[in-house]
Amino acid sequence: MRLSDTLTGSVVELPPPSAGEIGMYFCGPTVYARAHIGNARPYLVGSWYARWLRLRGYSVKLVHNITDVDDKIFVAAPGRSGERADRATAWYLDDVGRFGLDEVDEFPRVTAMIEPIKDFIAELLEREFAYAVGGDVYFRVSRSPEYGVLSGQRPEQVEEQEPNPRKEDPRDFALWKASKPEEDRSWDSLWGKGRPGWHIECSAMAEKLLGPAFEIHGGGRDIVFPHHENELAQSRARGHDFARIWMHNGMLRFTGEKMSKSVGNVETIMDVLDEWGREAVLLFFLTAHWRSPIDFSAERMASALARADGLRESFRNPSQPAPEGSWERFKESLDDDFSTPEALALMHEWRDHELLRRALDVFGLASLAEEQEAPAEVEELARRRQEARVARDFVESDRLRAEIEAAGWEVRDEADAYRLVPKA
RNA sequence: GGCGACGUGGCCGAGUGGUUAGGCAGAGGCCUGCAAAGCCUCGUACAGCGGUUCGAAUCCGCUCGUCGCCUCCA
Protein backbone atom coordinates (compact mmCIF):
# COMPACT_ATOMS: atom_id res chain seq x y z
CA MET A 1 0.00 0.00 0.00
CA ARG A 2 1.58 3.21 -1.17
CA LEU A 3 0.39 6.77 -0.75
CA SER A 4 1.64 10.23 -1.73
CA ASP A 5 2.59 12.19 1.33
CA THR A 6 2.91 15.96 1.54
CA LEU A 7 5.29 15.89 4.51
CA THR A 8 8.00 13.85 2.84
CA GLY A 9 7.04 14.88 -0.67
CA SER A 10 7.20 11.28 -1.76
CA VAL A 11 5.18 8.12 -1.99
CA VAL A 12 5.31 6.23 1.29
CA GLU A 13 4.47 2.72 2.36
CA LEU A 14 1.56 2.02 4.71
CA PRO A 15 2.06 -0.48 7.51
CA PRO A 16 0.63 -3.96 6.93
CA PRO A 17 -3.04 -4.54 7.85
CA SER A 18 -2.37 -6.44 11.04
CA ALA A 19 -0.23 -3.66 12.50
CA GLY A 20 -3.15 -2.02 14.29
CA GLU A 21 -5.79 0.51 13.53
CA ILE A 22 -5.29 3.11 10.83
CA GLY A 23 -6.41 6.44 12.22
CA MET A 24 -7.62 8.87 9.58
CA TYR A 25 -8.54 12.49 10.22
CA PHE A 26 -9.98 14.57 7.38
CA CYS A 27 -10.64 18.25 7.81
CA GLY A 28 -14.25 19.13 7.26
CA PRO A 29 -16.05 22.39 6.58
CA THR A 30 -16.78 25.49 8.56
CA VAL A 31 -20.53 25.43 8.74
CA TYR A 32 -22.10 28.76 7.87
CA ALA A 33 -23.69 28.14 4.47
CA ARG A 34 -24.63 25.30 2.18
CA ALA A 35 -21.43 23.45 1.23
CA HIS A 36 -20.25 23.61 -2.37
CA ILE A 37 -19.20 20.70 -4.54
CA GLY A 38 -15.51 21.42 -3.98
CA ASN A 39 -16.04 20.83 -0.28
CA ALA A 40 -17.15 17.32 -1.12
CA ARG A 41 -13.75 16.26 -2.40
CA PRO A 42 -11.95 15.64 0.91
CA TYR A 43 -15.03 13.91 2.25
CA LEU A 44 -15.11 11.61 -0.76
CA VAL A 45 -11.38 10.99 -0.95
CA GLY A 46 -11.27 10.15 2.74
CA SER A 47 -14.34 7.96 2.58
CA TRP A 48 -13.22 6.08 -0.50
CA TYR A 49 -9.77 5.49 0.83
CA ALA A 50 -11.07 4.31 4.21
CA ARG A 51 -13.43 1.99 2.38
CA TRP A 52 -10.62 0.59 0.28
CA LEU A 53 -8.39 0.05 3.31
CA ARG A 54 -11.21 -1.75 5.06
CA LEU A 55 -11.76 -3.99 2.06
CA ARG A 56 -8.06 -4.73 2.06
CA GLY A 57 -8.24 -5.97 5.62
CA TYR A 58 -7.25 -2.90 7.59
CA SER A 59 -9.04 -1.75 10.65
CA VAL A 60 -9.75 1.96 10.14
CA LYS A 61 -11.18 4.78 12.19
CA LEU A 62 -12.20 7.78 10.12
CA VAL A 63 -12.85 11.14 11.75
CA HIS A 64 -14.23 14.13 9.87
CA ASN A 65 -14.59 17.28 11.89
CA ILE A 66 -17.11 20.09 11.73
CA THR A 67 -15.96 23.61 12.58
CA ASP A 68 -19.02 25.12 14.15
CA VAL A 69 -17.57 28.20 15.78
CA ASP A 70 -15.64 30.67 13.66
CA ASP A 71 -15.55 34.29 12.48
CA LYS A 72 -17.40 33.35 9.30
CA ILE A 73 -20.34 32.07 11.26
CA PHE A 74 -20.49 35.19 13.42
CA VAL A 75 -20.51 37.30 10.29
CA ALA A 76 -23.04 35.15 8.43
CA ALA A 77 -25.56 35.08 11.28
CA PRO A 78 -25.00 37.91 13.72
CA GLY A 79 -26.58 37.12 17.05
CA ARG A 80 -27.67 33.66 15.98
CA SER A 81 -24.41 31.96 15.19
CA GLY A 82 -25.23 28.81 17.17
CA GLU A 83 -28.51 28.37 15.39
CA ARG A 84 -26.88 28.89 12.01
CA ALA A 85 -24.06 26.49 12.79
CA ASP A 86 -26.52 23.79 13.82
CA ARG A 87 -28.58 24.24 10.72
CA ALA A 88 -25.57 24.26 8.40
CA THR A 89 -24.21 21.16 10.13
CA ALA A 90 -27.45 19.37 9.38
CA TRP A 91 -27.25 20.55 5.76
CA TYR A 92 -23.74 19.23 5.42
CA LEU A 93 -24.50 15.84 6.95
CA ASP A 94 -27.51 15.64 4.71
CA ASP A 95 -25.55 16.57 1.57
CA VAL A 96 -22.68 14.15 2.09
CA GLY A 97 -25.10 11.48 3.30
CA ARG A 98 -26.57 11.49 -0.19
CA PHE A 99 -23.33 10.09 -1.56
CA GLY A 100 -24.25 6.90 0.24
CA LEU A 101 -20.76 6.01 1.41
CA ASP A 102 -21.20 6.06 5.19
CA GLU A 103 -17.56 5.38 6.10
CA VAL A 104 -17.08 8.18 8.62
CA ASP A 105 -17.02 6.98 12.22
CA GLU A 106 -17.20 10.35 13.93
CA PHE A 107 -18.12 13.90 12.96
CA PRO A 108 -16.80 15.79 16.00
CA ARG A 109 -17.89 19.40 16.48
CA VAL A 110 -15.67 22.02 18.00
CA THR A 111 -18.38 23.26 20.36
CA ALA A 112 -18.64 19.79 21.86
CA MET A 113 -14.88 19.60 22.39
CA ILE A 114 -14.15 22.82 24.24
CA GLU A 115 -12.75 21.09 27.34
CA PRO A 116 -10.10 19.01 25.54
CA ILE A 117 -9.17 22.11 23.56
CA LYS A 118 -8.70 24.16 26.73
CA ASP A 119 -6.60 21.39 28.26
CA PHE A 120 -4.45 21.33 25.17
CA ILE A 121 -3.88 25.08 25.33
CA ALA A 122 -3.13 24.91 29.03
CA GLU A 123 -0.41 22.40 28.40
CA LEU A 124 1.12 24.50 25.65
CA LEU A 125 1.19 27.45 28.04
CA GLU A 126 2.83 25.33 30.69
CA ARG A 127 5.51 24.25 28.27
CA GLU A 128 5.99 27.86 27.18
CA PHE A 129 4.96 27.11 23.64
CA ALA A 130 2.21 29.65 24.11
CA TYR A 131 1.53 32.91 25.91
CA ALA A 132 -1.63 34.62 27.07
CA VAL A 133 -2.15 38.32 26.45
CA GLY A 134 -5.30 40.37 26.95
CA GLY A 135 -7.60 37.36 26.88
CA ASP A 136 -5.99 35.87 23.77
CA VAL A 137 -3.57 33.01 23.72
CA TYR A 138 -0.97 32.71 20.97
CA PHE A 139 1.32 29.95 19.84
CA ARG A 140 4.99 30.89 19.95
CA VAL A 141 6.32 29.89 16.55
CA SER A 142 9.90 30.73 17.47
CA ARG A 143 9.84 27.72 19.85
CA SER A 144 9.30 25.35 16.91
CA PRO A 145 12.55 24.96 15.01
CA GLU A 146 10.83 22.69 12.52
CA TYR A 147 8.07 25.13 11.69
CA GLY A 148 7.54 24.99 7.92
CA VAL A 149 8.46 21.34 7.33
CA LEU A 150 5.06 20.45 6.01
CA SER A 151 4.39 23.33 3.63
CA GLY A 152 7.96 24.19 2.68
CA GLN A 153 7.35 27.71 3.91
CA ARG A 154 10.35 29.13 5.71
CA PRO A 155 9.42 30.82 8.96
CA GLU A 156 11.32 33.98 8.14
CA GLN A 157 9.51 34.47 4.86
CA VAL A 158 6.01 34.08 6.26
CA GLU A 159 4.78 37.61 5.75
CA GLU A 160 3.13 39.70 8.32
CA GLN A 161 -0.62 39.93 7.99
CA GLU A 162 -2.76 42.41 9.93
CA PRO A 163 -0.34 43.92 12.41
CA ASN A 164 -1.33 42.65 15.83
CA PRO A 165 0.54 44.37 18.65
CA ARG A 166 -0.36 41.62 21.09
CA LYS A 167 1.78 39.09 19.25
CA GLU A 168 5.42 38.66 20.16
CA ASP A 169 6.13 37.64 16.59
CA PRO A 170 3.96 38.27 13.54
CA ARG A 171 4.07 34.56 12.67
CA ASP A 172 2.42 33.56 15.92
CA PHE A 173 -1.16 32.40 15.61
CA ALA A 174 -4.15 32.37 17.95
CA LEU A 175 -4.99 29.35 20.05
CA TRP A 176 -7.73 31.15 21.96
CA LYS A 177 -9.50 34.33 20.94
CA ALA A 178 -11.03 36.66 23.50
CA SER A 179 -14.72 37.20 22.99
CA LYS A 180 -15.73 40.36 21.11
CA PRO A 181 -18.92 42.31 21.82
CA GLU A 182 -20.53 41.38 18.49
CA GLU A 183 -19.90 37.67 19.03
CA ASP A 184 -22.81 35.83 20.60
CA ARG A 185 -21.03 32.65 21.61
CA SER A 186 -18.17 32.20 24.05
CA TRP A 187 -16.83 29.89 26.72
CA ASP A 188 -15.17 30.60 30.04
CA SER A 189 -11.53 29.81 30.43
CA LEU A 190 -8.55 30.58 32.62
CA TRP A 191 -7.70 33.34 30.15
CA GLY A 192 -11.17 34.85 30.06
CA LYS A 193 -14.27 34.43 27.96
CA GLY A 194 -13.54 33.45 24.44
CA ARG A 195 -13.39 30.62 21.91
CA PRO A 196 -10.81 28.42 20.24
CA GLY A 197 -8.70 29.57 17.33
CA TRP A 198 -9.08 27.69 14.10
CA HIS A 199 -6.08 25.38 14.20
CA ILE A 200 -6.17 24.08 17.75
CA GLU A 201 -9.46 22.25 17.30
CA CYS A 202 -8.02 19.69 14.91
CA SER A 203 -5.00 18.98 17.07
CA ALA A 204 -7.19 18.50 20.11
CA MET A 205 -9.94 16.50 18.42
CA ALA A 206 -7.55 14.26 16.54
CA GLU A 207 -5.73 13.44 19.74
CA LYS A 208 -8.94 12.89 21.65
CA LEU A 209 -10.41 10.53 19.06
CA LEU A 210 -7.38 8.93 17.42
CA GLY A 211 -4.68 9.17 20.04
CA PRO A 212 -1.50 11.27 20.03
CA ALA A 213 -0.13 9.78 16.83
CA PHE A 214 -2.10 8.41 13.91
CA GLU A 215 -1.61 7.38 10.28
CA ILE A 216 -3.27 9.74 7.87
CA HIS A 217 -4.35 13.36 7.99
CA GLY A 218 -6.22 14.68 4.99
CA GLY A 219 -7.76 17.81 3.59
CA GLY A 220 -7.59 20.19 0.67
CA ARG A 221 -4.26 21.39 -0.70
CA ASP A 222 -5.26 24.91 0.20
CA ILE A 223 -5.09 24.28 3.94
CA VAL A 224 -1.56 22.93 4.02
CA PHE A 225 -0.46 26.36 5.09
CA PRO A 226 -1.14 27.70 7.58
CA HIS A 227 -3.76 25.32 8.98
CA HIS A 228 -1.96 22.00 8.86
CA GLU A 229 1.45 23.52 9.46
CA ASN A 230 0.08 25.01 12.66
CA GLU A 231 -1.60 21.81 13.75
CA LEU A 232 1.66 19.97 13.32
CA ALA A 233 3.57 22.57 15.31
CA GLN A 234 1.05 22.51 18.17
CA SER A 235 0.91 18.77 18.41
CA ARG A 236 4.63 18.28 18.22
CA ALA A 237 5.06 20.96 20.85
CA ARG A 238 3.60 18.48 23.30
CA GLY A 239 6.43 16.09 22.69
CA HIS A 240 4.76 13.45 20.60
CA ASP A 241 4.40 12.85 16.91
CA PHE A 242 1.22 13.69 15.05
CA ALA A 243 -0.03 12.43 11.69
CA ARG A 244 2.45 10.22 9.86
CA ILE A 245 1.10 10.75 6.37
CA TRP A 246 -0.50 13.89 4.97
CA MET A 247 -2.98 13.33 2.16
CA HIS A 248 -3.87 16.59 0.42
CA ASN A 249 -6.38 16.50 -2.37
CA GLY A 250 -6.22 18.80 -5.40
CA MET A 251 -8.59 21.71 -5.74
CA LEU A 252 -11.80 21.66 -7.67
CA ARG A 253 -11.75 24.47 -10.20
CA PHE A 254 -14.68 26.22 -11.74
CA THR A 255 -14.52 28.98 -14.35
CA GLY A 256 -10.75 28.79 -14.33
CA GLU A 257 -10.06 29.11 -10.62
CA LYS A 258 -10.59 27.36 -7.36
CA MET A 259 -14.23 27.05 -6.43
CA SER A 260 -14.69 29.06 -3.29
CA LYS A 261 -17.32 31.06 -1.55
CA SER A 262 -15.12 34.14 -1.44
CA VAL A 263 -14.71 34.09 -5.22
CA GLY A 264 -18.41 33.37 -5.62
CA ASN A 265 -18.00 30.68 -8.31
CA VAL A 266 -19.96 28.16 -6.33
CA GLU A 267 -22.31 25.27 -7.03
CA THR A 268 -23.71 23.56 -3.97
CA ILE A 269 -23.44 19.82 -3.38
CA MET A 270 -27.19 19.75 -3.15
CA ASP A 271 -27.76 21.41 -6.52
CA VAL A 272 -25.17 19.31 -8.31
CA LEU A 273 -26.64 16.11 -6.90
CA ASP A 274 -30.12 17.21 -7.85
CA GLU A 275 -29.05 18.03 -11.37
CA TRP A 276 -26.74 15.12 -12.21
CA GLY A 277 -27.43 12.37 -9.70
CA ARG A 278 -25.05 10.76 -7.26
CA GLU A 279 -23.57 8.24 -9.67
CA ALA A 280 -22.45 10.88 -12.14
CA VAL A 281 -21.04 13.03 -9.35
CA LEU A 282 -19.06 10.14 -7.88
CA LEU A 283 -17.74 9.17 -11.32
CA PHE A 284 -16.81 12.77 -12.03
CA PHE A 285 -14.48 12.76 -9.01
CA LEU A 286 -13.19 9.28 -9.75
CA THR A 287 -11.95 10.28 -13.22
CA ALA A 288 -9.23 12.44 -11.69
CA HIS A 289 -6.47 11.30 -9.39
CA TRP A 290 -7.23 12.57 -5.86
CA ARG A 291 -4.07 14.65 -5.82
CA SER A 292 -4.75 16.44 -9.13
CA PRO A 293 -6.86 19.51 -9.61
CA ILE A 294 -10.17 18.82 -11.29
CA ASP A 295 -12.31 21.16 -13.40
CA PHE A 296 -16.00 21.26 -12.79
CA SER A 297 -18.06 21.90 -15.92
CA ALA A 298 -21.31 20.82 -17.53
CA GLU A 299 -19.29 19.07 -20.22
CA ARG A 300 -17.40 16.94 -17.76
CA MET A 301 -20.53 16.19 -15.78
CA ALA A 302 -22.27 15.08 -18.96
CA SER A 303 -19.31 12.87 -19.71
CA ALA A 304 -19.51 11.36 -16.21
CA LEU A 305 -23.21 10.74 -16.68
CA ALA A 306 -22.51 8.96 -19.97
CA ARG A 307 -19.94 6.88 -18.16
CA ALA A 308 -22.53 5.91 -15.55
CA ASP A 309 -24.91 4.84 -18.30
CA GLY A 310 -22.17 2.90 -20.00
CA LEU A 311 -21.37 0.97 -16.85
CA ARG A 312 -25.03 0.30 -16.16
CA GLU A 313 -25.31 -0.92 -19.74
CA SER A 314 -22.62 -3.49 -19.05
CA PHE A 315 -25.12 -5.31 -16.87
CA ARG A 316 -27.77 -5.51 -19.54
CA ASN A 317 -25.59 -7.70 -21.66
CA PRO A 318 -24.46 -11.21 -20.89
CA SER A 319 -21.63 -11.61 -18.45
CA GLN A 320 -18.33 -12.62 -19.96
CA PRO A 321 -15.37 -13.76 -17.91
CA ALA A 322 -12.75 -11.07 -17.51
CA PRO A 323 -9.15 -11.88 -18.41
CA GLU A 324 -7.04 -13.67 -15.86
CA GLY A 325 -5.56 -11.29 -13.30
CA SER A 326 -8.12 -8.53 -13.85
CA TRP A 327 -8.91 -8.07 -10.19
CA GLU A 328 -5.22 -8.13 -9.36
CA ARG A 329 -4.59 -5.25 -11.73
CA PHE A 330 -7.52 -3.32 -10.32
CA LYS A 331 -6.25 -3.89 -6.82
CA GLU A 332 -2.76 -2.81 -7.71
CA SER A 333 -3.95 0.44 -9.26
CA LEU A 334 -5.68 1.35 -6.00
CA ASP A 335 -2.95 0.02 -3.74
CA ASP A 336 -0.52 2.23 -5.60
CA ASP A 337 -1.45 5.72 -4.45
CA PHE A 338 -5.14 5.07 -4.97
CA SER A 339 -5.24 5.70 -8.70
CA THR A 340 -8.95 5.73 -9.40
CA PRO A 341 -8.57 6.82 -13.07
CA GLU A 342 -6.58 3.70 -13.75
CA ALA A 343 -9.02 1.50 -11.86
CA LEU A 344 -11.93 2.99 -13.81
CA ALA A 345 -10.21 2.37 -17.12
CA LEU A 346 -9.83 -1.30 -16.23
CA MET A 347 -13.48 -1.58 -15.26
CA HIS A 348 -14.57 -0.30 -18.65
CA GLU A 349 -12.95 -3.28 -20.29
CA TRP A 350 -14.81 -5.80 -18.16
CA ARG A 351 -18.03 -7.55 -19.11
CA ASP A 352 -17.84 -9.80 -16.10
CA HIS A 353 -20.87 -9.02 -13.95
CA GLU A 354 -19.54 -10.32 -10.67
CA LEU A 355 -16.20 -8.61 -10.99
CA LEU A 356 -17.77 -5.35 -12.10
CA ARG A 357 -20.24 -5.34 -9.28
CA ARG A 358 -17.45 -5.91 -6.82
CA ALA A 359 -15.38 -3.07 -8.27
CA LEU A 360 -18.32 -0.67 -8.42
CA ASP A 361 -19.08 -1.39 -4.79
CA VAL A 362 -15.60 -0.21 -3.84
CA PHE A 363 -16.71 3.27 -4.84
CA GLY A 364 -20.27 3.08 -3.58
CA LEU A 365 -21.60 2.55 -7.08
CA ALA A 366 -23.24 -0.84 -6.68
CA SER A 367 -26.50 0.86 -7.68
CA LEU A 368 -25.27 0.76 -11.28
CA ALA A 369 -25.41 -3.02 -11.10
CA GLU A 370 -29.07 -3.27 -10.17
CA GLU A 371 -31.72 -4.62 -12.51
CA GLN A 372 -34.89 -2.59 -12.73
CA GLU A 373 -38.30 -4.08 -13.33
CA ALA A 374 -40.71 -2.20 -15.54
CA PRO A 375 -44.12 -1.42 -14.08
CA ALA A 376 -47.00 -3.68 -15.14
CA GLU A 377 -48.59 -1.11 -17.43
CA VAL A 378 -45.35 -0.66 -19.35
CA GLU A 379 -44.97 -4.42 -19.58
CA GLU A 380 -48.47 -4.55 -21.02
CA LEU A 381 -47.66 -1.91 -23.65
CA ALA A 382 -44.54 -3.82 -24.61
CA ARG A 383 -46.47 -7.05 -24.90
CA ARG A 384 -49.00 -5.42 -27.24
CA ARG A 385 -46.20 -3.88 -29.25
CA GLN A 386 -44.61 -7.27 -29.69
CA GLU A 387 -47.93 -8.63 -30.99
CA ALA A 388 -48.15 -5.77 -33.47
CA ARG A 389 -44.61 -6.44 -34.62
CA VAL A 390 -45.29 -10.10 -35.16
CA ALA A 391 -48.32 -9.07 -37.19
CA ARG A 392 -46.04 -6.65 -39.07
CA ASP A 393 -48.21 -3.74 -38.04
CA PHE A 394 -45.31 -1.34 -37.70
CA VAL A 395 -47.44 1.77 -37.48
CA GLU A 396 -49.09 0.40 -34.35
CA SER A 397 -45.85 -0.96 -32.94
CA ASP A 398 -44.08 2.39 -33.38
CA ARG A 399 -47.01 4.16 -31.77
CA LEU A 400 -46.74 1.82 -28.77
CA ARG A 401 -43.02 2.35 -28.59
CA ALA A 402 -43.62 6.09 -28.33
CA GLU A 403 -46.01 5.45 -25.46
CA ILE A 404 -43.49 3.27 -23.69
CA GLU A 405 -40.86 5.93 -24.10
CA ALA A 406 -43.19 8.56 -22.75
CA ALA A 407 -43.46 6.37 -19.66
CA GLY A 408 -39.67 6.49 -19.30
CA TRP A 409 -38.76 3.10 -20.76
CA GLU A 410 -37.01 1.90 -23.84
CA VAL A 411 -37.75 -1.30 -25.76
CA ARG A 412 -34.96 -3.25 -27.31
CA ASP A 413 -35.90 -5.94 -29.75
CA GLU A 414 -34.16 -9.26 -29.63
CA ALA A 415 -34.43 -12.31 -31.89
CA ASP A 416 -37.87 -13.48 -30.79
CA ALA A 417 -38.27 -11.33 -27.76
CA TYR A 418 -37.84 -7.84 -26.40
CA ARG A 419 -36.36 -6.25 -23.38
CA LEU A 420 -37.33 -3.19 -21.37
CA VAL A 421 -34.75 -0.87 -19.90
CA PRO A 422 -35.19 2.47 -18.16
CA LYS A 423 -34.57 5.37 -20.50
CA ALA A 424 -31.30 7.14 -19.76
C1' G B 1 9.11 37.80 -5.07
C1' G B 2 9.19 32.74 -2.21
C1' C B 3 7.25 27.58 -1.89
C1' G B 4 4.65 23.68 -4.50
C1' A B 5 1.79 21.00 -8.34
C1' C B 6 1.32 20.52 -13.40
C1' G B 7 1.35 20.98 -19.14
C1' U B 8 -0.44 13.91 -23.55
C1' G B 9 -4.98 13.71 -29.74
C1' G B 10 -12.01 17.68 -29.85
C1' C B 11 -12.73 16.74 -24.17
C1' C B 12 -11.07 13.68 -19.94
C1' G B 13 -7.05 10.54 -18.70
C1' A B 14 -3.18 6.11 -18.26
C1' G B 15 1.65 5.44 -19.66
C1' U B 16 8.55 6.91 -16.89
C1' G B 17 13.72 4.58 -22.79
C1' G B 18 12.02 0.87 -28.07
C1' U B 19 5.76 -2.95 -29.03
C1' U B 20 -2.58 -1.10 -28.77
C1' A B 21 -4.08 2.34 -22.70
C1' G B 22 -9.19 3.26 -21.60
C1' G B 23 -13.56 6.49 -21.56
C1' C B 24 -16.62 10.50 -23.75
C1' A B 25 -17.62 12.92 -28.30
C1' G B 26 -17.11 12.13 -33.83
C1' A B 27 -16.92 9.18 -38.86
C1' G B 28 -17.96 4.56 -41.52
C1' G B 29 -19.82 -0.49 -41.42
C1' C B 30 -22.48 -5.12 -39.62
C1' C B 31 -27.11 -6.23 -37.34
C1' U B 32 -32.59 -4.24 -37.30
C1' G B 33 -39.25 -3.48 -40.47
C1' C B 34 -37.15 1.18 -38.39
C1' A B 35 -34.57 1.88 -33.96
C1' A B 36 -31.85 0.98 -29.47
C1' A B 37 -28.10 -2.02 -27.53
C1' G B 38 -24.00 -4.83 -29.17
C1' C B 39 -19.87 -5.81 -32.37
C1' C B 40 -16.00 -4.23 -36.15
C1' U B 41 -13.01 -0.29 -38.38
C1' C B 42 -10.99 4.83 -38.19
C1' G B 43 -7.42 9.39 -34.65
C1' U B 44 -0.48 8.32 -35.06
C1' A B 45 -1.01 13.03 -29.56
C1' C B 46 2.69 13.97 -25.89
C1' A B 47 3.85 22.92 -24.45
C1' G B 48 8.55 24.94 -27.00
C1' C B 49 13.90 24.83 -27.72
C1' G B 50 18.43 22.45 -26.88
C1' G B 51 21.14 18.06 -24.96
C1' U B 52 22.17 12.64 -23.58
C1' U B 53 21.12 7.97 -26.43
C1' C B 54 21.35 3.40 -31.82
C1' G B 55 16.42 5.05 -30.07
C1' A B 56 12.70 9.89 -25.59
C1' A B 57 6.11 11.56 -24.33
C1' U B 58 9.41 8.91 -20.85
C1' C B 59 16.36 11.14 -18.65
C1' C B 60 19.05 16.32 -18.23
C1' G B 61 18.97 21.78 -19.01
C1' C B 62 16.55 26.17 -20.36
C1' U B 63 12.14 28.81 -21.91
C1' C B 64 6.90 29.57 -22.06
C1' G B 65 2.19 28.73 -19.89
C1' U B 66 -1.64 27.13 -16.17
C1' C B 67 -3.19 26.34 -11.15
C1' G B 68 -2.59 26.40 -5.76
C1' C B 69 -0.36 28.38 -1.23
C1' C B 70 2.29 32.48 1.09
C1' U B 71 -4.39 36.25 3.90
C1' C B 72 -10.35 33.37 5.56
C1' C B 73 -10.68 28.99 2.37
C1' A B 74 -11.62 21.54 1.51
Side-chain angles (χ1 to χ4, degrees):
Chain A
M1 283 296 203
R2 295 149 53 79
L3 198 58
S4 289
D5 168 36
T6 310
L7 184 58
T8 56
S10 59
V11 179
V12 298
E13 196 75 35
L14 243 60
S18 53
E21 188 174 74
I22 300 276
M24 294 179 69
Y25 186 99
F26 268 69
C27 281
T30 299
V31 280
Y32 64 100
R34 205 97 209 188
H36 63 71
I37 190 67
N39 293 311
R41 179 111 99 141
Y43 171 84
L44 289 171
V45 168
S47 296
W48 274 324
Y49 198 57
R51 193 180 180 92
W52 180 240
L53 290 176
R54 283 170 172 148
L55 284 164
R56 299 286 281 113
Y58 287 81
S59 164
V60 177
K61 182 168 181 183
L62 176 59
V63 175
H64 193 235
N65 70 291
I66 306 271
T67 302
D68 62 351
V69 57
D70 179 84
D71 289 337
K72 298 214 158 204
I73 309 173
F74 291 130
V75 170
R80 305 186 320 280
S81 70
E83 209 181 297
R84 166 62 67 92
D86 289 348
R87 184 157 12 119
T89 299
W91 285 337
Y92 183 70
L93 295 177
D94 217 54
D95 289 342
V96 299
R98 289 177 66 187
F99 291 124
L101 289 166
D102 202 28
E103 298 291 326
V104 175
D105 296 290
E106 304 227 29
F107 288 97
R109 304 181 195 192
V110 176
T111 55
M113 285 280 185
I114 299 294
E115 286 311 313
I117 290 171
K118 287 198 292 198
D119 293 346
F120 203 113
I121 295 171
E123 194 182 332
L124 290 177
L125 279 162
E126 208 172 296
R127 289 170 167 258
E128 298 185 342
F129 272 94
Y131 53 96
V133 47
D136 290 341
V137 181
Y138 294 96
F139 185 84
R140 189 174 272 136
V141 170
S142 62
R143 287 270 282 139
S144 290
E146 291 183 327
Y147 191 79
V149 276
L150 180 67
S151 61
Q153 295 291 330
R154 298 163 145 265
E156 61 274 16
Q157 70 197 23
V158 173
E159 283 170 34
E160 188 166 1
Q161 30 179 337
E162 297 283 300
N164 181 342
R166 291 177 174 181
K167 292 183 182 178
E168 289 178 1
D169 182 323
R171 300 169 302 168
D172 292 347
F173 54 90
L175 298 170
W176 188 264
K177 294 183 169 183
S179 183
K180 298 194 183 101
E182 68 274 20
E183 297 175 359
D184 63 319
R185 252 184 146 185
S186 65
W187 290 263
D188 286 319
S189 79
L190 299 173
W191 324 287
K193 275 177 109 55
R195 44 138 184 146
W198 178 37
H199 317 297
I200 193 67
E201 61 183 70
C202 290
S203 286
M205 295 195 286
E207 175 170 337
K208 175 94 180 157
L209 297 168
L210 297 172
F214 55 97
E215 278 327 293
I216 302 172
H217 193 134
R221 269 235 98 78
D222 56 347
I223 60 169
V224 174
F225 190 89
H227 186 52
H228 284 166
E229 191 71 63
N230 292 353
E231 283 182 42
L232 186 61
Q234 289 158 358
S235 291
R236 285 192 172 170
R238 301 185 62 197
H240 58 242
D241 207 6
F242 191 46
R244 287 189 46 204
I245 301 171
W246 294 78
M247 190 176 185
H248 290 112
N249 61 267
M251 293 296 98
L252 181 131
R253 291 192 228 128
F254 187 39
T255 58
E257 57 192 320
K258 181 177 78 165
M259 182 178 285
S260 87
K261 289 179 192 116
S262 41
V263 177
N265 58 343
V266 160
E267 292 272 342
T268 63
I269 296 174
M270 178 180 69
D271 288 345
V272 175
L273 279 170
D274 285 346
E275 184 172 0
W276 300 96
R278 60 178 284 280
E279 289 142 350
V281 177
L282 295 180
L283 284 164
F284 161 75
F285 280 109
L286 256 8
T287 55
H289 186 101
W290 59 271
R291 198 158 20 82
S292 309
I294 185 169
D295 285 298
F296 179 81
S297 67
E299 192 189 8
R300 290 197 55 162
M301 288 309 301
S303 181
L305 189 60
R307 201 186 272 269
D309 290 334
L311 287 165
R312 196 182 277 112
E313 205 63 66
S314 299
F315 287 89
R316 300 199 178 120
N317 297 301
S319 184
Q320 290 167 34
E324 194 70 20
S326 288
W327 182 258
E328 274 307 308
R329 290 178 62 203
F330 176 83
K331 203 162 75 176
E332 270 155 31
S333 63
L334 295 181
D335 284 356
D336 186 10
D337 205 18
F338 204 57
S339 179
T340 57
E342 208 182 328
L344 264 192
L346 291 167
M347 287 161 67
H348 279 288
E349 294 174 32
W350 298 346
R351 294 292 173 276
D352 185 316
H353 286 3
E354 202 206 329
L355 205 57
L356 252 182
R357 187 176 286 115
R358 200 169 149 203
L360 286 169
D361 190 50
V362 169
F363 305 118
L365 288 167
S367 56
L368 292 173
E370 279 164 14
E371 288 287 343
Q372 281 181 270
E373 292 277 312
E377 58 272 24
V378 173
E379 286 287 359
E380 173 60 15
L381 289 172
R383 199 191 50 73
R384 281 165 51 201
R385 174 173 174 277
Q386 182 66 0
E387 280 175 11
R389 285 188 67 228
V390 170
R392 303 193 69 76
D393 181 353
F394 298 123
V395 174
E396 175 66 0
S397 86
D398 286 351
R399 192 190 64 75
L400 286 162
R401 174 161 61 199
E403 264 193 66
I404 292 164
E405 282 178 2
W409 290 76
E410 181 182 303
V411 222
R412 294 179 182 173
D413 295 328
E414 293 173 352
D416 282 311
Y418 59 88
R419 169 191 282 233
L420 281 166
V421 299
K423 245 174 108 77

